[in-house]
Amino acid sequence: MRPPAQGAEGATVRALLRYPVKSMLGEAVVAADVTERGLPYDRQLALLHRETGKVASAKNPRMWRRLLKLTANATPAAVRIGLPDGKAVWSTDADVDERLSALLDQPVVLTGRPPADAELDRARPEEVLRDGVRAEVAVEVGRLGGAAPEGTFFDFAPLHLITSSTLRRIAESSPRGTVEAERYRPNVVIDTAGSGFVENDWVGHDLRIGDRLTLRVIARSPRCAIPTLEHGTLPRDPDALRVPAAHNRVPPTDEFGPQPCAGVYVRVLRPGRIAVGDRLTVLPAAAAPEGGS
């Protein structure tokens, strides 16, 4: 029997975030219609390395940390990519690949179609902490989307949630006294009371947000080096990883050993609308049907 979910009393949606280009900075929205593929436009596009075919990800900071200096804003027609010099390029521009390749010093192509068995590199986060973002450290090759619909660029699942309790707990142990939610690249920030990694206990539970949207929490989110990196104007913050490593080293699921975790991955059981201010409710196990019209 699953233990009861703690920390969800009075919980509401604080923020909604999407990232139209994988590993670039995202944008906030106030409401959205969530499907089994997550928030509209989230990870709609990604860069592929022309020579290796791998997906560009800031999980490998030595090669791709500069992606976190670029902004991505989605429109129905195209994605606007903001550049560090204040200029912009659109995803539909004929020279978009050439301009991004020159900026990143890597041959890349912008695409909305992940290759079959798409792979990305993940630097070992403890080695990045020890040796720095420019060092050549051990890199593990991973596949995209273990619990995501086919043809998407999600690392694992279509939605990622983190609570304000977790953010407060990390901030309390950080020398800076704060930590930004953006560092963990969540889709949904849940406003919760108190301090602690409360969503650890939500794994295996079903959540209702608003009137209809129903989610299942399937794993705790293991953290890579990305939270430690510069994000736009935000400075480097190694403690954004060191604190979870010291205080929340837990198994993402029963199949894995302990890792630094913050937040949870969810999949969509029933599509629905989500908006800032919506209430989150933990459902009894039998109350969350698969699918739904």
Side-chain angles (χ1 to χ4, degrees):
M1 183 176 179
R2 290 176 304 195
Q6 303 294 328
E9 299 81 7
T12 58
V13 175
R14 172 183 287 189
L16 297 172
L17 301 161
R18 65 188 183 193
Y19 311 87
V21 181
K22 188 174 183 66
S23 272
M24 293 186 188
L25 299 180
E27 58 184 347
V29 296
V30 296
D33 292 314
V34 177
T35 70
E36 69 279 356
R37 299 173 76 89
L39 291 172
Y41 305 111
D42 189 40
R43 277 80 172 193
Q44 177 185 22
L45 303 174
L47 293 174
L48 300 182
H49 195 282
R50 287 183 180 272
E51 296 172 0
T52 67
K54 291 180 180 179
V55 177
S57 169
K59 291 177 182 293
N60 184 2
R62 189 176 68 86
M63 283 189 66
W64 302 116
R65 65 186 182 277
R66 280 178 288 183
L67 288 172
L68 291 169
K69 293 291 188 177
L70 308 180
T71 62
N73 298 91
T75 73
V79 173
R80 182 186 185 275
I81 298 172
L83 308 180
D85 62 3
K87 298 179 181 178
V89 60
W90 288 85
S91 60
T92 49
D93 287 349
D95 63 346
V96 62
D97 295 339
E98 288 72 20
R99 292 181 67 182
L100 293 177
S101 295
L103 181 68
L104 298 168
D105 292 327
Q106 296 289 342
V108 295
V109 57
L110 184 67
T111 181
R113 290 186 178 182
D117 299 322
E119 294 180 335
L120 54 77
D121 290 334
R122 181 183 189 269
R124 291 182 181 173
E126 63 275 11
E127 295 188 20
V128 175
L129 281 177
R130 184 191 67 207
D131 299 332
V133 297
R134 293 178 175 84
E136 291 194 29
V137 301
V139 171
E140 299 167 348
V141 178
R143 296 271 179 91
L144 291 180
E150 187 175 351
T152 61
F153 284 108
F154 300 115
D155 286 345
F156 181 63
L159 284 175
H160 171 220
L161 278 63
I162 197 167
T163 66
S164 60
S165 294
T166 284
L167 297 172
R168 277 191 292 272
R169 179 65 184 85
I170 296 171
E172 288 167 359
S173 296
S174 171
R176 293 177 61 224
T178 188
V179 72
E180 299 83 4
E182 296 92 327
R183 294 185 180 277
Y184 301 98
R185 300 180 67 78
N187 295 116
V188 187
V189 181
I190 301 295
D191 206 355
T192 47
S195 171
F197 300 97
V198 298
E199 60 267 44
N200 281 354
D201 296 333
W202 296 1
V203 175
H205 289 273
D206 300 326
L207 310 175
R208 171 76 49 76
I209 298 180
D211 295 331
R212 181 174 178 81
L213 178 63
T214 309
L215 312 171
R216 178 159 295 163
V217 184
I218 57 175
R220 301 172 191 94
S221 301
R223 306 319 316 194
C224 61
I226 287 179
T228 72
L229 304 178
E230 294 181 17
H231 285 59
T233 60
L234 295 180
R236 283 204 68 211
D237 186 3
D239 292 289
L241 176 59
R242 285 180 179 145
V243 174
H247 299 285
N248 198 44
R249 190 176 286 274
V250 295
T253 68
D254 293 340
E255 290 77 27
F256 296 92
Q259 299 181 47
C261 291
V264 290
Y265 285 117
V266 305
R267 63 185 178 90
V268 179
L269 297 184
R270 176 182 287 170
R273 190 157 182 82
I274 187 172
V276 172
D278 279 351
R279 182 161 183 174
L280 178 146
T281 305
V282 178
L283 299 177
E290 293 278 352
S293 59

